[in-house]
Amino acid sequence: MSAAGILEGELEAEHLADRAARLLARAGSVIEARGLAYAVRFARGRRPMLVIDEAAFRKLFARLVPRTDGGWRLSSQAPSPPPGRPGFVEGEKTVVEPDGRATTHRANLGEAPLDWLLHRKHITRAEHAAGEKLSADAHASGIVGRLTMRWDPTPRSGGGSRLEPMERAHAARQRLGRAMEAVGAEAMPILTLICLTGTSLQGTEVALGMKPRTGKAALKAALQRLAAHYGMA
Amino acid sequence: MLAQILEEAWAISPDPRRDRLAAAFVTHAVALATGVAPIDIASDKRTNKSAARARQISIYLAHVIFHWPLTRVAFAFGRDRTTCAHACHRIEDLREDRVFDARMTALEACVRQAPETIPDLAGIEFQRAGLGR
């Protein structure tokens, strides 16, 4: 079998699996083994709507849940990600560069601590927004330095802000400094580690030598003060 | 006697009038997709092959997309339950062809969101809204 042939076979199996999944979306439908193939029926006693082969069934199997009477049905949950890195969600994060372009770079979407906390409702949306603004300011001020070329457009005559990119970075640095001062000396390391660096809560507790399970409350207090400083509360 | 007929009708489908309208919607969508006239699709007499095929497609859509039981589909289209089952099996076998399957998927996507998104204006008084001038 050539490589193209194998790919074709895989595509066909995926296609059949999608057709079977679409039919199995109906309540009460079931897929059962019948001879060497598998039959999808809408109800137990009826003629099968679709007969799929072993390869397609293997693709479909990840989404199936066994029934007590025998056979399988489609599970309502999404299939679990492959094992290996439990908290790691590979994805793309949109980041606005100081020159206004929105670039995406690969990031671990599963572990951004602010998003994690917001999803579980430990912090409010205002606090989350304040933390995101802090990290955006830090990114724009270019403290960490950049590897790519600067393609910032110099402002010509015309509408829009007449700020040069250097002025923009300076303003962001000033905002960052003022926010850190307003928040106070106890909260500054927590915010740096979590918002700017993106360490997890447990990592910050270990790094700062705090008692375990106190990080969340300390972070919430720090974010509240930050939100008050930004006027977002 | 009328009450008995009505009860049998309500056992098959909760709102027969709205079901007929939904079936007509599917018929017109299939007519637009296949190029067959809706009158031909919905006719009782024998028609040509393409109209019969379009009728089978609309029955299949009503059964598979709306999740109606075959009795309800048969009632809405004015056909026999076994005819509707045969139609569904035929169209499912036709879907082995990749091109046909892709086009059917597109048609399904159109028909799937229709009866939910079409609002029910039957309760509004049109005179008060100024539309009955």
Side-chain angles (χ1 to χ4, degrees):
Chain A
M1 278 271 262
S2 65
I6 294 176
L7 272 174
E8 263 293 321
E10 287 238 349
L11 273 177
E12 279 209 26
E14 277 276 358
H15 184 61
L16 257 181
D18 284 336
R19 277 180 66 192
R22 215 187 7 92
L23 290 174
L24 285 169
R26 193 190 179 104
S29 54
V30 64
I31 177 168
E32 287 169 325
R34 220 173 77 144
L36 287 174
Y38 300 85
V40 177
R41 303 162 193 271
F42 279 161
R44 231 55 203 314
R46 300 201 172 254
R47 240 177 78 192
M49 285 299 285
L50 178 64
V51 174
I52 70 176
D53 60 351
E54 181 70 34
F57 182 74
R58 292 234 171 124
K59 301 259 175 196
L60 184 62
F61 188 66
R63 296 192 263 181
L64 295 179
V65 146
R67 280 174 135 214
T68 44
D69 298 339
W72 297 268
R73 61 175 170 86
L74 204 67
S75 82
S76 42
Q77 304 168 356
S80 57
R85 304 175 69 175
F88 187 76
V89 175
E90 170 124 11
E92 294 208 334
K93 195 167 131 164
T94 318
V95 154
V96 180
E97 301 280 328
D99 48 354
R101 285 177 299 135
T103 39
T104 56
H105 58 251
R106 279 178 49 213
N108 180 5
L109 296 180
E111 274 188 7
L114 286 181
D115 298 330
W116 191 90
L117 287 168
L118 179 69
H119 182 67
R120 281 153 182 78
K121 299 190 183 45
H122 293 305
I123 57 177
T124 62
R125 288 172 64 99
E127 292 162 3
H128 172 78
E132 293 286 330
K133 184 166 164 60
L134 189 74
S135 72
D137 273 342
H139 184 85
S141 66
I143 299 175
V144 187
R146 44 173 40 209
L147 292 170
T148 53
M149 275 290 295
R150 295 183 173 273
W151 294 104
D152 315 325
T154 35
R156 301 297 171 99
S157 64
S161 61
R162 318 263 165 119
L163 289 176
E164 282 198 13
M166 207 170 49
E167 294 170 2
R168 251 192 271 268
H170 185 68
R173 180 70 205 261
Q174 294 243 298
R175 267 178 271 147
L176 188 66
R178 261 182 280 140
M180 285 307 197
E181 272 173 51
V183 145
E186 312 92 30
M188 186 156 72
I190 302 178
L191 285 177
T192 330
L193 277 174
I194 293 193
C195 302
L196 308 192
T197 321
T199 331
S200 61
L201 274 174
Q202 208 221 348
T204 37
E205 284 165 7
V206 161
L208 299 176
M210 300 196 304
K211 288 211 172 59
R213 303 171 70 89
T214 48
K216 200 157 46 175
L219 175 67
K220 195 166 165 71
L223 283 176
Q224 262 174 356
R225 267 196 263 175
L226 190 65
H229 163 75
Y230 278 135
M232 281 183 186
Chain B
M1 164 110 160
L2 182 62
Q4 189 183 18
I5 294 175
L6 280 178
E7 257 196 45
E8 282 168 17
W10 286 333
I12 295 174
S13 75
D15 193 348
R17 266 175 31 190
R18 202 167 153 81
D19 272 4
R20 291 261 162 112
L21 294 175
F25 179 85
V26 174
T27 305
H28 280 73
V30 170
L32 191 60
T34 52
V36 182
I39 303 181
D40 288 340
I41 297 183
S43 98
D44 306 327
K45 305 195 190 10
R46 284 178 168 269
T47 45
N48 52 358
K49 227 169 68 166
S50 49
R53 180 72 74 223
R55 200 177 305 138
Q56 284 180 336
I57 292 179
S58 47
I59 289 176
Y60 172 83
L61 288 175
H63 183 50
V64 168
I65 306 304
F66 295 165
H67 296 316
W68 286 356
L70 279 172
T71 327
R72 192 171 165 188
V73 174
F75 188 73
F77 282 89
R79 298 294 192 285
D80 190 47
R81 188 183 56 82
T82 49
T83 311
C84 299
H86 175 73
C88 295
H89 285 295
R90 284 278 242 167
I91 300 299
E92 196 62 53
D93 292 336
L94 277 186
R95 283 189 82 147
E96 307 272 333
D97 176 29
R98 279 292 198 102
V99 175
F100 185 75
D101 187 49
R103 296 209 178 124
M104 279 296 292
T105 314
L107 187 57
E108 271 177 27
C110 295
V111 170
R112 189 186 297 271
Q113 33 90 19
E116 279 91 37
T117 48
I118 294 180
D120 197 7
L121 292 171
I124 299 179
E125 299 177 29
F126 277 87
Q127 285 81 26
R128 205 180 290 173
L131 290 172
R133 260 178 274 146

